[in-house]
Amino acid sequence: FLIRVRLGELEPAHQPQIFRRFCRGATMGIKVDGIFVAPAASLPMEERDSAELIAGKGISGDRYASQTGTYSVLRVSAQRPGEREPGRQITLLSADSVDAALARAGLTPPASLGDLRRNVVLRGVSAAQLLSAIGTEIAIGEARVFVHRNCVPCMYNERKNGCAGLMEALWEDAGVACEVVRAGVISKGDAVSLAPTGPVLSTVLDGGAQAPGYYVRPSKRTAEQVRAARERLGAAKQALSKVDPEGVQRIEASYQSAGLSFWGRGVAPIPEQQWVHDRLAVAVAVGVAAVVVGLFVSRK
């Protein structure tokens, strides 16, 4: 099977390891430490002892499986322009790397790692190993997921946790975004393999048509990147309003619940952090505008 990838579109640290040799020998002892779902956007994450993974959808009972997540409105698939990214279905997180990153930054860990709003928390694996698995499959219990991209953190999540500096601290440690390619039930304590044997179930990597600089830390983005992204923000909102007006309202409502605004400036901004939020929100919007606006123009 061939995994089709345009390597130049990905940051070097996130390029897929096609032959998975890096992962082999590094999969012993990886376990599921926690399973979390939220029934709808911005609602608290609920811990589960087990959960059903649905191929092509996500985790049963989770907002992204029902396409009611905060970011479900976004249509930035690189392989199928105008459609959602398959990697929005389920997210994996390294508890080991989160613990280390927060300790380095001097930040207090959340009461539950589920508060970081990732679905499956793993122990015995690093964030770097998860990033190296981009473009490959991971076996979790009886299910399998295909890793599409780095799942960078957002200011929305930082505000929800009330922890200034969280986004920067976890920039390389916030997990990976995946697609469910084999259905099955997963449970806490299940073994996880980064290099499962057997046939490959997914052959196409889709990291999304992300904006230039999407994987760059917000504090290191240039003024030009921010300016260009902001110019497209209004066009993205207008285009998405035609296909998913409820989704446009939902993402804004989620951000407002954290004192922010996805489509504009924060409702109750924290001055020393507002510039970080601006860079994140507009960078995400570049990908939305480029893909969605192009889709509507081509249909006219």
Side-chain angles (χ1 to χ4, degrees):
F1 290 88
L2 174 66
I3 299 177
R4 293 182 286 157
V5 184
R6 289 179 289 183
L7 294 177
E9 295 183 356
L10 297 177
E11 299 292 330
H14 309 119
Q15 291 181 2
Q17 307 300 309
I18 303 300
F19 300 108
R20 298 187 287 181
R21 285 180 290 189
F22 180 86
C23 295
R24 293 193 182 278
T27 63
M28 298 299 292
I30 306 175
K31 301 289 185 182
V32 174
D33 191 62
I35 302 170
F36 300 90
V37 301
S42 77
L43 291 183
M45 299 292 279
E46 303 171 357
E47 187 166 11
R48 302 278 181 86
D49 290 330
S50 61
E52 179 186 4
L53 270 58
I54 305 170
K57 290 191 175 182
I59 300 183
S60 178
D62 186 62
R63 75 275 197 206
Y64 284 100
S66 61
Q67 298 182 350
T68 58
T70 295
Y71 298 109
S72 292
V73 65
L74 304 183
R75 267 75 164 173
V76 292
S77 168
Q79 297 293 341
R80 298 178 178 177
E83 296 187 16
R84 296 178 175 89
E85 292 178 75
R88 287 282 180 194
Q89 295 175 13
I90 183 172
T91 48
L92 311 183
L93 180 73
S94 164
D96 308 72
S97 289
V98 167
D99 291 345
L102 294 179
R104 287 194 301 270
L107 298 178
T108 302
S112 166
L113 289 186
D115 292 341
L116 298 179
R117 305 194 73 78
R118 301 299 186 251
N119 296 122
V120 181
V121 177
L122 306 177
R123 288 279 180 189
V125 65
S126 69
Q129 288 173 313
L130 291 179
L131 289 175
S132 294
I134 292 175
T136 72
E137 292 175 11
I138 293 179
I140 308 173
E142 61 186 40
R144 283 198 188 189
V145 301
F146 182 87
V147 186
H148 282 284
R149 66 172 177 85
N150 181 7
C151 191
V152 293
C154 60
M155 179 55 70
Y156 163 69
N157 205 345
E158 177 173 310
R159 285 291 186 88
K160 293 286 280 188
N161 280 279
C163 182
L166 182 68
M167 182 169 67
E168 284 275 326
L170 296 182
W171 191 254
E172 292 290 343
D173 302 288
V176 289
C178 309
E179 172 187 5
V180 179
V181 294
R182 175 184 289 170
V185 174
I186 64 171
S187 302
K188 291 180 65 174
D190 274 352
V192 176
S193 174
L194 301 189
T197 58
V200 176
L201 301 178
S202 182
T203 60
V204 180
L205 178 69
D206 189 341
Q210 311 297 352
Y214 181 81
Y215 294 109
V216 178
R217 288 178 181 272
S219 60
K220 296 184 180 300
R221 290 177 185 151
T222 66
E224 176 59 26
Q225 287 174 330
V226 175
R227 183 197 62 77
R230 184 168 290 158
E231 288 179 354
R232 303 188 186 188
L233 190 59
K237 181 180 180 181
Q238 183 178 9
L240 288 169
S241 294
K242 297 178 181 179
V243 294
D244 189 2
E246 290 185 3
V248 169
Q249 294 175 2
R250 183 172 56 244
I251 194 171
E252 184 65 17
S254 291
Y255 266 61
Q256 287 189 6
S257 73
L260 299 166
S261 174
F262 184 81
W263 302 114
R265 286 197 168 274
V267 175
I270 299 176
E272 64 271 22
Q273 294 179 6
Q274 185 61 48
W275 62 274
V276 180
H277 161 254
D278 286 345
R279 283 155 176 76
L280 181 69
V282 295
V284 172
V286 167
V288 179
V291 175
V292 179
V293 173
L295 175 66
F296 277 94
V297 171
S298 66
R299 286 179 174 176
K300 290 185 177 180

